[in-house]
Every structure is written in structure tokens, then in C-alpha cells.
Amino acid sequence: MPIRRALLAVLATAVGLVLLLSFKPHDVSQAAQPPAALAQKQSGTTPAQGTTPAQDTTPAQGTTVTGDSADTRWGPVQVAITVSGGKIADVQVLQAPDGNRRDIEINDAALPILTQEALSAQSAQIDTVSGATYTSEGYARSLQSAIDRAGL
């Protein structure tokens, strides 16, 4: 009986140690860059935090307005909208959390859904994507600031 207890205690300790060592906390202080899939789609550069958002007027594509960077638990989220004919024609994600592989997986799945929701709703009143709550909330805040700046 004591051998079984000792064996169980050793096994439980080993499992606990493995779980503890496999835990990788997020480094919130690290500047987040766009996920790999989004970085390939971008043609411009990311504006520095704390700077005045740029407005870029291109007659063929409309006006691009950058929203505020919204800080989330896992990193900042920032979007820019392209306005054409008084409507949101496009949403580009400039920043999203990418501190680890899981962040990238979540955002690669969630950001296209959020963008489609924003284009359909033509507002920041969009549903939160399950499993990407913090990113969804940051996306909506940044989107709303871009919409406000665009005067929509």
C-alpha cells in the first residue's frame, strides 16, 4: 500500500512538472506584429503607436482611414478602413496579437470573419468570434475609431 501511494505521488508530481514547464505565458510588453498570413496581404507599413493616423486619398480606391490601436490582454489590435461612396469598402488589419503560434492560429481564423462581419454590418456592431474574444473586442474598438474619423 505505501509503495502505491509513493508511486502515485511521484507520477502526479511528474505530470504536474511537465504541465508547468509546457506553459508559455504571453509577453504583453512585446510589440505585436500582424500574423504571418496578414503580413503578406499588406502593402503599406504599420503606423507607429501614438502617432496621428494617416488618411490616404486615392481616387480609384477611396479614402483609407486608420483607427486607434486598441490594447488587449494579448497585444494591440489596429485596423484601417477604406471608404468609398460613403460606405466601408474594405478593412485591413494593421496589427494583431502574434506573441506565439496559438495567437497566430486564432487570429488567422478570426480576423477574416471579423472583417466580413464589419463589411456586412457597415459598423463596429459586430459579433465576437468564439475563441478570439480579446481580439474581437480590440478589433471593434479600433474599427469604431476609424469609422468615427471617417465621419460615417
Side-chain angles (χ1 to χ4, degrees):
M1 192 79 100
I3 294 176
R4 286 185 187 170
R5 286 187 185 162
L7 185 60
L8 183 60
V10 168
L11 183 61
T13 302
V15 169
L17 214 90
V18 167
L19 290 174
L20 183 64
L21 292 175
S22 67
F23 178 70
K24 293 179 177 58
H26 282 74
D27 183 10
V28 180
S29 65
Q30 178 181 355
Q33 299 297 318
L38 292 172
Q40 294 173 357
K41 295 178 186 177
Q42 290 185 19
S43 59
T45 59
T46 302
Q49 284 184 330
T51 61
T52 305
Q55 272 197 342
D56 183 22
T57 305
T58 308
Q61 296 182 358
T63 303
T64 301
V65 182
T66 303
D68 290 335
S69 178
D71 289 329
T72 70
R73 180 176 179 182
W74 306 121
V77 178
Q78 186 176 30
V79 300
I81 61 171
T82 300
V83 179
S84 181
K87 292 188 172 190
I88 301 171
D90 189 28
V91 180
Q92 292 180 323
V93 178
L94 304 177
Q95 285 186 320
D98 71 344
N100 61 44
R101 192 175 339 158
R102 184 70 179 138
D103 287 345
I104 294 169
E105 288 173 6
I106 289 170
N107 291 324
D108 281 349
L111 293 172
I113 295 169
L114 292 167
T115 298
Q116 187 58 46
E117 288 277 327
L119 292 172
S120 295
Q122 289 292 304
S123 76
Q125 302 300 317
I126 55 177
D127 290 333
T128 300
V129 175
S130 179
T133 304
Y134 294 108
T135 297
S136 298
E137 291 170 356
Y139 186 100
R141 285 195 314 258
S142 182
L143 179 61
Q144 185 61 56
S145 72
I147 290 170
D148 292 344
R149 284 197 178 110
L152 297 178

